Amino acid sequence: EYNFAVRRVPSSNGAIASEGFAILGDEPLFLSGKGLYGLSSLTGTAETVVRNRSVSINKKLLAESDLENTTAIVLNNYLYLFVGGHVYAFDGRRKSADPADRTNYYYEAYYWDNIPADHACVHNAELWFSNGNKLCRFKNTGRRDDYSDGSSWNGSKQTGGTAITARYTTRNDDDNAIQMFKTMMKKGSMVALAPYTKTSVNAYARRDGKAREYIGTYRIDSEDASTVPFADFSADATLEPSDYFFRKKKKKYIRLQLIFENDSIDEPFGIFSINKSVTATQYGR
């Protein structure tokens, strides 16, 4: 239970979900009809305003039809919004500046599907949710014996069940040169994944709002020495964040969005950083 001081602030945005309040780090947050908002002080004054913290994912979040029944949960410096069988996970450690100047910063976020949660809570530092008469727990490393989706663990491998698809996208980036056609070079363009002993990623690019194009896939399982990477990525797999360099370039675009997706069961997934090397080719027309 959270207690908030009631103060007047200059804003036309009000909370819409009775369970949509949380404190991430030291910032009070609430869900409104225009996205996730946080309380912030104006520079040089003591005046308090509200700022949008979900601009990176608002298009998908605000398309949910049941926002009034959203549940907000904070655990391990992440804010989770449970709504409509989906989860929006905001990373309290990663804040980004908004190039469109709609807010002073926003939290980077992941989108998960296939999580039919009626309610959610934290118990003993673990994240739980209910689904009708079922009680489900997000699995931690080393605890592979709890399942509620029909899967099973035979001591060495999980079988059955349904994967949760996790997706992370960059903004639709014009590389600060909207007047130019650009090429994303394969040299110097890469993604670094958070260190896990078993993970995979499918990478895509979307040029100028068109259908996404496949870049490549990389999979590693340190518990299985026979697992080898696919040809479209090169990587050095360690317990540190692993760097995966693209082997395909993307030519002649004005704006480019990169998409990273994991849809494999029993695999964690996290983006550590993304780098893109770009050359301008000609003026757009």
Side-chain angles (χ1 to χ4, degrees), residues 82-87 112-118 129 131 138 164-165:
F82 289 77
V83 54
H86 309 134
V87 173
W112 303 342
D113 68 5
N114 189 36
I115 303 178
D118 297 330
F129 70 90
N131 175 21
F138 283 89
I164 295 172
T165 298

Side-chain angles (χ1 to χ4, degrees), residues 34-249:
K34 296 182 180 179
L36 181 69
Y37 276 78
L39 299 182
S40 180
S41 296
L42 289 176
T43 302
T45 73
E47 187 177 18
T48 302
V49 297
V50 292
R51 301 283 194 180
N52 195 303
R53 301 304 187 213
S54 59
V55 296
S56 64
I57 204 168
N58 268 347
K59 184 175 180 180
K60 185 172 287 291
L61 174 62
L62 299 182
E64 297 285 353
S65 60
D66 198 24
L67 284 175
E68 293 81 2
N69 292 319
T70 298
T71 298
I73 298 291
V74 172
L75 179 64
N76 295 333
N77 217 2
Y78 281 86
L79 169 66
Y80 302 94
L81 295 181
F82 289 77
V83 54
H86 309 134
V87 173
Y88 299 82
F90 296 87
D91 190 345
R93 300 164 298 180
R94 300 188 66 85
K95 302 175 183 177
S96 294
D98 179 23
D101 201 29
R102 294 162 294 183
T103 183
N104 55 339
Y105 67 85
Y106 61 85
Y107 294 108
E108 297 190 9
Y110 292 92
Y111 169 78
W112 303 342
D113 68 5
N114 189 36
I115 303 178
D118 297 330
H119 299 282
C121 70
V122 173
H123 178 67
N124 289 337
E126 294 178 325
L127 187 58
W128 296 72
F129 70 90
S130 63
N131 175 21
N133 60 356
K134 294 182 179 180
L135 186 61
C136 312
R137 185 184 70 210
F138 283 89
K139 188 171 52 180
N140 291 331
T141 301
R143 302 187 64 174
R144 294 171 165 171
D145 55 343
D146 295 327
Y147 300 94
S148 62
D149 61 357
S151 59
S152 60
W153 183 260
N154 63 12
S156 60
K157 185 177 294 186
Q158 182 179 346
T159 58
T162 305
I164 295 172
T165 298
R167 186 176 300 110
Y168 184 90
T169 68
T170 66
R171 66 187 179 95
N172 203 13
D173 194 1
D174 62 18
D175 304 304
N176 296 319
I178 195 172
Q179 77 280 16
M180 302 293 295
F181 281 120
K182 278 86 62 177
T183 294
M184 182 188 75
M185 307 302 294
K186 60 183 179 180
K187 289 187 177 180
S189 298
M190 48 84 70
V191 59
L193 291 186
Y196 295 111
T197 57
K198 180 180 181 181
T199 188
S200 64
V201 62
N202 301 312
Y204 306 88
R206 178 176 286 122
R207 290 183 281 193
D208 299 319
K210 299 176 183 177
R212 68 184 191 178
E213 305 167 23
Y214 177 72
I215 294 178
T217 299
Y218 183 85
R219 185 182 305 278
I220 187 168
D221 185 349
S222 64
E223 299 173 356
D224 182 0
S226 66
T227 302
V228 295
F230 286 80
D232 288 324
F233 270 98
S234 63
D236 177 22
T238 70
L239 293 181
E240 298 297 319
S242 298
D243 300 331
Y244 308 144
F245 293 89
F246 302 157
R247 289 182 174 173
K248 292 183 179 180
K249 62 173 63 175

Side-chain angles (χ1 to χ4, degrees), residues 262-280:
N262 176 288
D263 56 3
S264 297
I265 198 166
D266 196 35
E267 287 188 0
F269 172 59
I271 298 292
F272 186 81
S273 64
I274 300 166
N275 291 85
K276 184 174 61 171
S277 295
V278 175
T279 59

